[in-house]
Amino acid sequence: IWEGKRQLFYFNRLKSERKCVIIITIIHWCQARGDFPLAFRNEGEEIIMNYNISLIPGDGIGPEIVAEAKKVLDSVCQKYHHTFSYSEVLLGGASIDVHGVPLTEEAISTCKASDAVLMGSIGGDAKTSPWYKLEPSKRPEAGLLAIRKALNLFANLRPAYLYKELEEACPLKKEVIGEDGFDMIIVRELTGGLYFGERKTIEEDGVKKAIDTLSYNENEIRRIAIKAFDIAMKRRKKVTSVDKANVLDSSRLWRKVVEEVAKDYPEVTLEHMLVDNCAMQLVHDPGQFDVILTENMFGDILSDEASMVTGSIGMLSSASLNETKFGLYEPSHGSAPDIAGQNKANPIATILSAAMLLRYSLNLDKEADAVEAAVQKVLTDGYRTGDIMSDGCKAVGTKEMGDLIAAAV
């Protein structure tokens, strides 16, 4: 770190002698400036790092679940001797109450200056909240869309993992789930495709006609494909690219570019699958998938399907990344205003989102593994919040679940 800004050097694929030249150049540059990198180490020594994390508690149950995720991150710091500095940011209804708008420029600047952002949930009860009497551009969800755009987040990651302890909640038959369950992640392109193409409604010969345009260029496809293959390298090294190449030109280009990217990752197995077949395979044999790579609309649909087969949305984390390692991490569930402030919310999805933050933005795989293992241990020990409660288990609240996981780290 120099002057508070992290300088990232991606040279994993360079030959050793080139890496040495880069490292020596960095050291000489630091010495000439009188600055020094935050952490160097000798073989076998632990790296001690300092990171800045923006916290967006948000609305509804958001402040409660973010507090528990922070508690777990603090346990990671204590165990691995890192330092996390936190900045709290208002977004959504919480920002409307204070500033009159769902997102301020100051909030955007704070997030951009951090290494990663951890968010709770945004929004309230659309029927009763005064926030929804405002024009659409000033409602809570408008702030969420605006910050995603401001941070250039183009890659959405949605894991779908079935815990053995929660098998009974899975709607699939046991013979479909199998002995090993499933553990996949859907990598969805977030800023292109049909949702962002030109659209219009016209009238021709007295008949109304609606037109939506599906467009992708090779750069948009290449950058999301690189994300997917990088993630696969941290997992089981398999990418399933989902398209509709038997019909769509955009999918044929998608397939071509993905195959080009695959050449740079010889350790990763690539397979192509048509989207209709993928939708069927998710409920027929979900265990076959590792990383699913797909475009915006297909990813929107498939990620929701995958989330349902895990049994509880309260367990599902997510991330949105930009072209660096920066990302915004949040649970997949909503703000649940009906249970806000009652110590009933399940914080596990937010805690698992914090684990994703450690892995994908901070490159702290060992620490992320520790958080995920802690969640597994607490579930194995039989502790449950109300949404995942079953016979013979011990009921706990939001704070107690956070305490248990933090202690298990």
Side-chain angles (χ1 to χ4, degrees):
I1 295 175
W2 296 279
E3 299 176 351
K5 294 181 180 178
R6 185 171 309 282
Q7 309 296 324
L8 300 176
F9 297 90
Y10 300 100
F11 52 64
N12 284 344
R13 297 182 205 137
L14 295 178
K15 292 181 179 179
S16 295
E17 58 269 23
R18 290 191 178 181
K19 290 181 182 179
C20 289
V21 169
I22 291 172
I23 292 169
I24 291 168
T25 302
I26 292 169
I27 293 171
H28 285 173
W29 179 49
C30 292
Q31 288 173 337
R33 287 166 49 92
D35 294 334
F36 296 91
L38 184 65
F40 279 104
R41 67 169 179 177
N42 295 320
E43 187 69 27
E45 287 184 351
E46 210 167 23
I47 296 180
I48 300 173
M49 296 298 290
N50 179 31
Y51 297 100
N52 297 312
I53 299 173
S54 288
L55 299 178
I56 303 177
D59 310 317
I61 60 173
E64 298 169 77
I65 55 181
V66 167
E68 300 314 307
K70 179 179 178 294
K71 190 183 293 180
V72 173
L73 287 173
D74 288 341
S75 288
V76 168
C77 288
Q78 186 175 358
K79 180 175 180 178
Y80 294 97
H81 310 295
H82 302 312
T83 302
F84 294 158
S85 301
Y86 303 102
S87 301
E88 191 163 309
V89 175
L90 296 178
L91 177 67
S95 179
I96 293 170
D97 289 344
V98 175
H99 302 293
V101 292
L103 179 67
T104 64
E105 288 299 322
E106 182 183 358
I108 293 172
S109 297
T110 300
C111 290
K112 284 183 174 180
S114 65
D115 296 297
V117 180
L118 180 64
M119 185 169 70
S121 51
I122 302 300
D125 188 332
K127 293 180 180 178
T128 61
S129 172
W131 300 332
Y132 295 92
K133 294 178 181 177
L134 301 170
E135 62 178 270
S137 65
K138 292 186 177 179
R139 292 176 185 173
E141 291 76 11
L144 184 55
L145 295 174
I147 198 166
R148 285 173 176 163
K149 183 178 180 180
L151 299 177
N152 300 313
L153 305 174
F154 72 90
N156 180 245
L157 315 183
R158 288 276 293 271
Y161 176 76
L162 181 64
Y163 288 90
K164 195 78 173 171
E165 293 77 12
L166 302 181
E167 268 187 4
E168 294 300 319
C170 177
L172 302 180
K173 294 179 179 179
K174 287 189 176 180
E175 55 265 35
V176 173
I177 298 171
E179 286 298 317
D180 298 325
F182 54 84
D183 176 9
M184 73 185 85
I185 186 167
I186 296 177
V187 180
R188 167 191 170 192
E189 202 287 323
L190 203 55
T191 60
L194 201 59
Y195 293 171
F196 289 86
E198 264 188 68
R199 59 176 61 92
K200 60 183 177 179
T201 300
I202 60 175
E203 190 171 308
E204 290 182 348
D205 300 324
V207 178
K208 287 184 179 178
K209 179 179 180 180
I211 301 169
D212 294 289
T213 308
L214 170 54
S215 172
Y216 271 109
N217 66 51
E218 60 181 308
N219 294 332
E220 292 171 322
I221 300 168
R222 184 169 285 106
R223 68 180 184 175
I224 190 70
I226 289 171
K227 285 288 185 189
F229 279 89
D230 283 342
I231 290 166
M233 288 294 292
K234 289 177 174 281
R235 292 173 53 90
R236 302 193 304 277
K237 296 183 173 64
K238 179 184 176 184
V239 170
T240 302
S241 179
V242 175
D243 57 39
K244 194 63 177 170
N246 59 336
V247 176
L248 300 175
D249 272 358
S250 59
S251 282
R252 285 187 274 273
L253 177 62
W254 181 282
R255 188 171 288 204
K256 178 177 180 293
V257 174
V258 169
E259 288 176 350
E260 291 172 0
V261 172
K263 293 175 183 177
D264 294 329
Y265 298 83
E267 296 176 58
V268 177
T269 300
L270 169 66
E271 68 173 3
H272 298 287
M273 188 175 289
L274 297 177
V275 63
D276 42 354
N277 184 33
C278 184
M280 180 181 70
Q281 292 298 327
L282 279 171
V283 295
H284 175 68
D285 181 18
Q288 68 182 283
F289 296 110
D290 179 19
V291 176
I292 294 176
L293 163 65
T294 193
E295 59 96 65
N296 202 344
M297 185 175 70
F298 296 162
D300 188 10
I301 297 165
L302 294 175
S303 60
D304 281 354
E305 181 187 5
S307 72
M308 287 309 298
V309 300
T310 64
S312 174
I313 199 167
M315 302 292 294
L316 297 174
S317 55
S318 78
S320 298
L321 308 179
N322 67 14
E323 292 194 66
T324 68
K325 286 184 174 289
F326 180 88
L328 184 151
Y329 300 82
E330 59 183 309
S332 295
H333 59 70
S335 61
D338 55 317
I339 61 169
Q342 299 175 41
N343 196 38
K344 291 181 178 179
N346 184 350
I348 291 179
T350 313
I351 291 168
L352 291 173
S353 296
M356 292 182 74
L357 183 156
L358 294 171
R359 189 180 307 282
Y360 296 117
S361 281
L362 308 188
N363 210 32
L364 299 176
D365 289 344
K366 181 171 61 174
E367 290 83 343
D369 290 341
V371 173
E372 292 166 356
V375 170
Q376 178 67 70
K377 181 182 186 304
V378 170
L379 292 175
T380 301
D381 289 346
Y383 296 99
R384 303 283 190 274
T385 47
D387 61 310
I388 55 173
M389 188 62 186
S390 57
D391 292 342
C393 293
K394 308 160 199 171
V396 296
T398 309
K399 293 179 181 177
E400 293 80 7
M401 181 61 81
D403 288 339
L404 288 163
I405 295 171
V409 169

